[in-house]
Amino acid sequence: MPGDRTLRLQHGNRIEALCVLGTCISADVYGAAPAGAVSFSVKHTEGVSVEVRCQSPAEVGPAPGSGTRWPLDKGTVLRFSMSRASTEVNDNKVTVSFYAEGGQPINQAGVFLTGIGISLDVDADRDGVVEKNSPYKASWTWGPEGHGAILLVSCDKENPFTVASDCDDERVFSREDLLDMSRMVLRTEGPQRLPRGYEIILYIPVSEADTVGVFYVQNPFFGQRYVQVLGRRKLYHMVQYTGGAAELDFFVEGLRFPDDTFPGLVSIHVSLLETLAEGIPHAPIFTDTVVFRVAPWIMTPNTLAPVNVFVCSMKDNYLFIKEIKNLVNKAGCELKVCFGYINRGDRWMQDEIEFGYTHAPHKSFPVVLDSPRDAGLERYPIKDLLGPDFGYVSREPLFEAITSLDSFGNLEVSPPVTVAGKEYPLGRILIGSSFPTSAGRRMTRVVRDFLCAQQVQAPVELYSDWLAVGHVDEFITFVPTSDKKRFRMLMASPAACYKLFREKQKEGQGEATMFKGYSGTDTKRVTINKVLSNNILMQQNQYVQRCIDWNRDVLKKELGLMEEDIIDLPALFKLDKQGKAVPYFPNMVTMIVLAKDLGIPKPFGPIMGGECCLERQTRCLLEPLGLRCRFLEDVSSYHGRLGEVRCGTNVQRRPFAFKWWHVTP
């Protein structure tokens, strides 16, 4: 960054030097003085500002024609600077005259100066304009009053004929690629040519070579060619100095999202180099620096408006897709069906991918995060989603084994919350894990580290290993509301179910039958009385309720929730042979949320007066909040395979209006 530069004067010689506008040159007058000199005077041209700094404030009186004289004390320094650029090489000068005891001149030292302006500039105040020489360009701070430039990871694919994302390709084929990038301007001003022995170089540290790429447009008017000048294999670029007042436009892209080995900050430098003679290496005499932060990947909660709903077409889910299509049409979004030749028999759309987005002041676009699970949908996000302004990112472990908890049914995000005065305006990520004292299943570390490194949605680990599938979406979801809170958290609750069944039993409805029309394999007649008299089932659900209550307490603390912010939906579970919980009837919490329209798994609860009492209870809880409940039959397509409506669908949502750089992590 601009600062003082030391220059060594030589008595009896006039040297040449470049003076960068905005910087000062310091010269040790005492060290350059000839023997016998006791005072000195200074002359300079109009374009140079000069300051003399002496240890002693005393001055020698002016001699005729020599101007002011200063005593030559040890530590006397001459500081000079230039405020405007030179039009010719060596068009300004500073002359120091040395005098003996009686005032006789002894010798002189001089420097011919060429003033040059160099400024590497970015959009440091995030308003879409690249300001000249902003004082904030070399640092980065969070918050509404923060500053610092922002980069997007070019993880989309503008060219359909390339295999990889744009950030994995060192080539740029069209100007559309540049629209994802952040503009960086090198402004220079000075004579038509630099003096011999000077060069300007643009460079990045070797430690950041895999995080940033810089492109330059050659021949902007005739046959444009986009050239990568900095990147993984190019650490520096010699800048062609064009003379006069010039602006060179560069375009900068991020190559990777923040993770545990990359905090997200990248720096780019421009240096003015000087060599004393041919064959002598160059040395830097001025450096200017800009800093960018790579924009994070951001998840979208259920409270944001839906744009597209995704579902897989299978041989057994034609009726389900028909119901989903009706729901999607009512919600005003679009249904995207992934057919068999792409899904290859894999129906679990939610488990394969998580939709999010990335955002900079100049642009925003959706980015899909691909889970480590490798099933039939493995190639779907790359083949069907990755494209122009639709990005792709993945994290896969090198050595850890993949478990069910690595599927993205185990990845949720809350709406915006405030916790003990600290705001989380983009919500908090929720992931399921094992009990803190056990050695059970956990989401693989590389994904957890990736989520934490984004910084703007601080993750919370919950306990989900008690479930056979082990996903957080089996016992928690969020729905939007129109009141001051703006949302409610829904939790699966065996206690709520037993309470409801006991109430119905007292009303004389104990023989009401469950599972009417149920297409599952178990066709035994099940009534409220049988459920309530099954002590083993009751004990198992008491255990399940305690596991859910553990998470309830964690969520109340980490999301700043009160009891009135939580709605308990009736649910029952049973334990499998491994002691893991599976739903006893379709789990209504594992729903799809499309604004006010909810696609809820049909629970096949006890029928009373021609209506399922579980459905009636759910409507009574949710419809007063302005929500519309639609119960979807998913037994044959999903529930029988330990999944529900949400597991077989996925929703791309609109991004937050809030700007993530206003967060204070």
Side-chain angles (χ1 to χ4, degrees):
M1 292 300 295
D4 277 11
R5 169 193 167 202
T6 298
L7 185 68
R8 298 192 178 276
L9 299 176
Q10 302 172 9
H11 66 83
N13 290 306
R14 291 182 183 262
I15 60 176
E16 298 179 1
L18 283 188
C19 182
V20 178
L21 307 187
T23 67
C24 286
I25 294 178
S26 295
D28 179 7
V29 179
Y30 182 84
V38 296
S39 62
F40 70 96
S41 65
V42 180
K43 287 184 178 180
H44 58 87
T45 52
E46 184 180 352
V48 184
S49 298
V50 177
E51 178 186 6
V52 177
R53 292 191 175 181
C54 304
Q55 286 189 342
S56 171
E59 292 185 353
V60 177
S66 65
T68 304
R69 296 185 186 180
W70 288 268
L72 190 61
D73 296 327
K74 189 172 184 179
T76 301
V77 174
L78 195 66
R79 297 180 79 247
F80 44 89
S81 61
M82 297 182 66
S83 58
R84 63 175 184 267
S86 296
T87 56
E88 297 180 2
V89 173
N90 297 334
D91 62 354
N92 282 272
K93 65 180 179 178
V94 176
T95 303
V96 180
S97 300
F98 297 99
Y99 303 92
E101 186 71 42
Q104 302 87 354
I106 301 178
N107 211 330
Q108 290 183 330
V111 55
F112 286 103
L113 293 173
T114 304
I116 182 173
I118 301 178
S119 179
L120 188 60
D121 297 319
V122 292
D123 179 16
D125 59 3
R126 306 161 185 166
D127 64 353
V129 178
V130 178
E131 303 85 7
K132 184 175 182 180
N133 216 14
S134 166
Y136 306 118
K137 65 184 181 182
S139 60
W140 210 97
T141 57
W142 295 89
E145 304 302 321
H147 59 260
I150 294 170
L151 281 183
L152 291 176
V153 177
S154 295
C155 56
D156 63 339
K157 186 174 72 168
E158 303 291 347
N159 189 334
F161 302 107
T162 60
V163 177
S165 303
D166 290 344
C167 58
D168 295 319
D169 197 333
E170 296 179 354
R171 300 166 296 173
V172 168
F173 296 96
S174 68
R175 191 162 186 84
E176 283 68 31
D177 274 348
L178 302 183
L179 298 179
D180 295 345
M181 303 183 192
S182 296
R183 186 166 166 251
M184 180 176 71
V185 180
L186 177 60
R187 294 181 167 101
T188 58
E189 186 179 6
Q192 292 305 307
R193 62 175 181 83
L194 289 177
R196 183 186 300 273
Y198 290 93
E199 293 178 349
I200 299 175
I201 185 173
L202 194 70
Y203 63 97
I204 53 177
V206 64
S207 60
E208 298 173 8
D210 64 341
T211 66
V212 65
V214 179
F215 290 83
Y216 176 68
V217 182
Q218 288 186 343
N219 301 321
F221 301 107
F222 304 100
Q224 290 184 343
R225 181 166 171 258
Y226 311 100
V227 180
Q228 188 185 56
V229 295
L230 297 176
R232 291 186 176 98
R233 297 187 298 171
K234 300 176 181 179
L235 297 180
Y236 68 92
H237 169 67
M238 302 302 300
V239 177
Q240 183 178 359
Y241 177 78
T242 56
E247 293 188 357
L248 299 180
D249 282 347
F250 295 90
F251 298 89
V252 189
E253 66 174 351
L255 301 183
R256 53 187 279 209
F257 283 99
D259 57 31
D260 62 322
T261 61
F262 171 48
L265 291 175
V266 298
S267 56
I268 302 176
H269 312 274
V270 64
S271 284
L272 179 63
L273 305 181
E274 176 187 54
T275 185
L276 298 177
E278 188 173 345
I280 301 298
H282 286 82
I285 61 172
F286 168 81
T287 297
D288 204 9
T289 298
V290 295
V291 170
F292 291 91
R293 180 174 290 279
V294 175
W297 179 78
I298 303 172
M299 283 184 67
T300 52
N302 288 347
T303 50
L304 292 176
V307 177
N308 295 308
V309 176
F310 297 79
V311 65
C312 289
S313 174
M314 312 298 294
K315 293 180 180 179
D316 58 5
N317 74 341
Y318 170 76
L319 293 178
F320 176 79
I321 290 181
K322 187 175 180 180
E323 287 191 273
I324 282 288
K325 187 172 184 179
N326 290 335
L327 180 69
V328 167
N329 288 340
K330 285 186 177 180
C333 47
E334 188 173 346
L335 183 66
K336 306 279 189 179
V337 180
C338 174
F339 293 99
Y341 69 95
I342 292 291
N343 66 51
R344 299 183 298 171
D346 185 1
R347 69 188 66 220
W348 306 116
M349 183 65 78
Q350 178 60 51
D351 287 345
E352 181 63 34
I353 55 178
E354 185 66 48
F355 288 103
Y357 69 97
T358 190
H359 179 207
H362 65 282
K363 191 169 185 179
S364 174
F365 59 81
V367 179
V368 61
L369 175 63
D370 193 2
S371 76
R373 77 185 282 270
D374 289 331
L377 282 165
E378 177 186 5
R379 300 298 297 170
Y380 171 69
I382 294 178
K383 284 181 174 291
D384 274 35
L385 299 179
L386 176 62
D389 292 340
F390 207 119
Y392 169 88
V393 62
S394 67
R395 287 294 184 272
E396 295 189 8
L398 294 177
F399 306 109
E400 287 183 86
I402 303 300
T403 71
S404 174
L405 271 67
D406 292 309
S407 298
F408 285 165
N410 194 34
L411 181 60
E412 181 64 273
V413 64
S414 79
V417 293
T418 300
V419 185
K422 180 172 177 54
E423 295 183 351
Y424 296 89
L426 301 175
R428 298 192 69 176
I429 289 173
L430 308 175
I431 58 176
S433 188
S434 57
F435 193 72
T437 60
S438 71
R441 299 168 295 174
R442 292 187 77 186
M443 180 179 284
T444 186
R445 179 165 185 165
V446 68
V447 176
R448 286 186 283 121
D449 288 346
F450 172 80
L451 297 173
C452 289
Q454 308 314 304
Q455 298 194 63
V456 295
Q457 295 176 305
V460 177
E461 281 199 65
L462 301 175
Y463 173 38
S464 66
D465 192 32
W466 55 274
L467 288 153
V469 177
H471 293 176
V472 293
D473 67 357
E474 296 178 79
F475 61 89
I476 181 177
T477 193
F478 299 90
V479 293
T481 62
S482 302
D483 56 12
K484 184 178 179 180
K485 187 66 180 180
R486 310 300 297 174
F487 73 91
R488 293 291 188 277
M489 183 173 74
L490 310 185
M491 297 197 79
S493 175
C497 189
Y498 274 101
K499 180 182 177 182
L500 176 65
F501 281 8
R502 290 189 184 104
E503 289 174 356
K504 298 305 176 185
Q505 188 183 53
K506 288 181 180 180
E507 294 171 4
Q509 302 287 347
E511 288 301 307
T513 304
M514 299 182 67
F515 301 121
K516 283 189 176 180
Y518 184 83
S519 57
T521 56
D522 190 353
T523 58
K524 293 180 181 179
R525 184 171 178 266
V526 179
T527 64
I528 289 178
N529 289 336
K530 283 187 176 181
V531 170
L532 294 179
S533 64
N534 188 333
N535 290 329
I536 294 177
L537 183 65
M538 184 176 295
Q539 290 173 357
Q540 291 178 350
N541 276 279
Q542 287 173 346
Y543 159 74
V544 167
Q545 187 64 62
R546 288 178 180 177
C547 293
I548 293 174
D549 286 345
W550 168 279
N551 291 295
R552 186 190 200 93
D553 294 338
V554 172
L555 288 163
K556 286 168 68 176
K557 176 184 176 183
E558 299 295 341
L559 300 184
L561 302 179
M562 307 294 287
E563 275 298 321
E564 55 264 32
D565 302 323
I566 304 172
I567 296 176
D568 293 312
L569 293 189
L572 287 181
F573 294 82
K574 58 185 177 182
L575 301 187
D576 62 15
K577 294 179 180 179
Q578 287 73 42
K580 302 292 186 181
V582 298
Y584 183 73
F585 55 77
N587 186 354
M588 293 185 289
V589 164
T590 316
M591 63 178 70
I592 182 173
V593 180
L594 304 178
K596 299 292 186 179
D597 293 286
L598 310 180
I600 305 172
K602 186 176 180 63
F604 292 94
I607 301 298
M608 302 171 193
E611 184 180 9
C612 169
C613 71
L614 294 174
E615 292 185 19
R616 184 189 306 126
Q617 177 71 3
T618 301
R619 291 185 192 276
C620 289
L621 291 170
L622 300 181
E623 288 183 349
L625 298 173
L627 301 169
R628 295 181 288 268
C629 301
R630 184 180 181 90
F631 293 90
L632 309 177
E633 198 277 297
D634 71 347
V635 173
S636 61
S637 304
Y638 301 101
H639 176 73
R641 295 172 171 83
L642 301 183
E644 305 291 1
V645 173
R646 184 179 189 267
C647 311
T649 58
N650 213 316
V651 184
Q652 177 197 348
R653 302 182 185 277
R654 296 190 187 280
F656 282 100
F658 182 86
K659 297 171 181 176
W660 62 263
W661 50 89
H662 289 174
V663 169
T664 304

